[in-house]
Amino acid sequence: MRKIKKQIALLMCAIITAISLGACGTTDKETSVQNDSSVTGNESNENKEETKTSLKAALVTAQKLGDQGVTDLCHSGFMKAAEEYGMDTQIVEVQKGEYEESIRALCEDGFNIVVALNVELVDATSKIAPDYPEVDFILTLGDVEGIENLKCLLGKENEGSYLAGIEAGMITKTNHIGFIGGQDNAEINRFLAGYEQGAKSVNPDIVIDPVYVGSFEDPTKGKDLALMLYNQGCDIVYSAAAKSGLGMFDAAKETGGLCIGVDVNQNDVLPGQVIGSMAIAYDQWIYNAMKEIAEDKFESGAFWYGVEGDNVYLALPTPEQYELSQDIIDAVEDAKNKIVSGEITVDSIAEKDK
């Protein structure tokens, strides 16, 4: 239905343009090519190029770039699609209290693709999207259905974190491991839930201590919390805290503790101490969603991606980064296969929230 409405609108534009061009006795090759392809659906290479250059895409993020994690990863996928399809772009690092105003301003300024990052923007994006049916919205971390111009991209972080938990549960010498979350919410606690279940599946007596920074932008506090966990006997710490989690690496370096990276492959950040990274393919998801829009194949709805297809995966270190025993490598691979087959189902709710 949305596609038909767009085609009708483009057809009306074509008729009006044709009348106006006839009246002045001139032709506009670019306009006529775009309108003809919209009406007939017969696209030559030239038509595709004209369509690409008409798109304006904005990336709106509640967390600043430079986290060496999910925000930078999403930006990478956004820019790859924008460059490939010739889109004009704008990056907006939006402040709290200005979410709705900023997104609405982009729509009013003619942006026809808005990519909104982070759970903080879910409510604003969901509210605004129905007001601008001609704009396609892509949202990370929002589980929203029923809005025909909104696509939500979500990861089953609990599945990837289950694999990280298996690794930690087999490596720990103290039977005591830690978790640092950016905020205490359902999204972050999916990481914790899988981590707990994976660790206990191989080490039933293990103790997992979760702590929360309260922010995704505070690596100093992230370091302080990691130091606290190490000093309390945790020999492995897993962080899901964006930029705040970078402090974990500083704490590990000072104490000699082991750690697990997140969002991207961080195994080379601290060789000898990073035992793996629970990575998420946000860059590919965003690229694919923008590609759909550019090629007029956009699908709305909430899409969940897990370990199947390596959309969420545990990036194991090379022997030079951290040497793992073969039994650990085999256990991780076996658990992954069982999750994909359905033999293992990983709960998304952490123990503390049950």
Side-chain angles (χ1 to χ4, degrees):
M1 181 61 71
R2 237 177 114 241
K3 189 171 180 180
I4 293 172
K5 289 179 181 178
K6 284 187 175 181
Q7 290 177 338
I8 292 172
L10 288 168
L11 177 59
M12 292 301 295
C13 290
I15 294 171
I16 293 169
T17 302
I19 292 172
S20 62
L21 289 175
C24 66
T26 62
T27 60
D28 186 332
K29 181 179 179 182
E30 179 177 345
T31 303
S32 63
V33 166
Q34 288 182 347
N35 289 336
D36 287 344
S37 66
S38 300
V39 175
T40 66
N42 296 322
E43 293 187 345
S44 65
N45 290 335
E46 182 180 357
N47 293 348
K48 290 181 180 179
E49 189 62 32
E50 297 291 356
T51 301
K52 293 176 187 178
T53 57
S54 69
L55 292 173
K56 294 177 64 179
L59 178 73
V60 187
T61 176
Q63 297 171 24
K64 294 180 181 180
L65 293 171
D67 64 352
Q68 300 175 40
V70 65
T71 307
D72 287 352
L73 192 66
C74 290
H75 177 258
S76 173
F78 174 85
M79 292 306 301
K80 179 182 176 183
E83 291 168 6
E84 183 170 326
Y85 287 93
M87 301 174 186
D88 293 333
T89 62
Q90 184 168 332
I91 311 299
V92 180
E93 294 179 337
V94 67
Q95 302 297 314
K96 186 175 182 179
E98 299 176 358
Y99 300 158
E100 185 176 336
E101 177 186 354
S102 298
I103 295 173
R104 197 174 292 277
L106 291 167
C107 297
E108 293 292 336
D109 285 345
F111 283 86
N112 34 32
I113 301 175
V114 174
V115 180
L117 308 184
N118 321 121
V119 67
E120 295 95 327
L121 300 183
V122 172
D123 290 343
T125 306
S126 302
K127 179 180 180 180
I128 293 168
D131 296 340
Y132 296 91
E134 73 283 3
V135 179
D136 290 316
F137 292 84
I138 301 166
L139 176 64
T140 63
L141 298 178
D143 186 7
V144 183
E145 298 272 13
I147 301 177
E148 64 179 7
N149 60 329
L150 174 62
K151 186 183 194 82
C152 297
L153 308 173
L154 302 109
K156 297 179 182 179
E157 297 93 351
N158 47 311
E159 291 187 355
S161 297
Y162 184 93
L163 305 181
I166 286 177
E167 186 184 25
M170 295 180 72
I171 291 175
T172 181
K173 298 291 194 299
T174 64
N175 280 347
H176 191 183
I177 59 177
F179 173 84
I180 300 174
Q183 293 180 345
D184 187 355
N185 60 35
E187 289 73 25
I188 291 301
N189 286 331
R190 284 200 295 269
F191 292 84
L192 173 60
Y195 186 53
E196 292 173 326
Q197 293 166 71
K200 290 182 178 181
S201 74
V202 295
N203 190 343
D205 298 325
I206 198 167
V207 175
I208 302 102
D209 283 344
V211 295
Y212 298 88
V213 180
S215 165
F216 294 99
E217 304 282 347
D218 192 348
T220 300
K221 186 173 181 181
K223 177 182 178 180
D224 290 341
L225 289 174
L227 286 171
M228 180 187 74
L229 290 171
Y230 288 128
N231 290 332
Q232 289 177 349
C234 295
D235 57 350
I236 301 171
V237 176
Y238 174 36
S239 173
K243 189 178 290 185
S244 296
L246 296 178
M248 173 188 68
F249 297 108
D250 293 333
K253 186 174 182 179
E254 287 187 14
T255 62
L258 302 178
C259 55
I260 300 173
V262 77
D263 295 331
V264 298
N265 188 333
Q266 297 177 317
N267 295 339
D268 61 351
V269 173
L270 197 59
Q273 292 176 253
V274 183
I275 64 173
S277 297
M278 205 292 284
I280 308 172
Y282 274 113
D283 54 341
Q284 190 62 45
W285 304 346
I286 288 176
Y287 168 83
N288 289 342
M290 293 174 68
K291 181 174 184 284
E292 286 179 6
I293 296 169
E295 297 179 356
D296 202 18
K297 298 176 182 177
F298 184 68
E299 293 184 53
S300 62
F303 294 80
W304 288 86
Y305 304 97
V307 296
E308 185 172 7
D310 287 333
N311 285 290
V312 174
Y313 61 99
L314 181 64
L316 296 177
T318 65
E320 294 74 26
Q321 293 169 332
Y322 185 90
E323 190 165 359
L324 294 172
S325 63
Q326 190 60 45
D327 62 331
I328 293 174
I329 296 171
D330 292 343
V332 168
E333 183 64 21
D334 181 59
K336 173 189 171 182
N337 292 335
K338 288 179 177 178
I339 293 171
V340 172
S341 71
E343 186 175 345
I344 292 176
T345 300
V346 186
D347 196 348
S348 62
I349 308 298
E351 286 293 329
K352 71 180 189 62
D353 295 327
K354 291 181 179 178

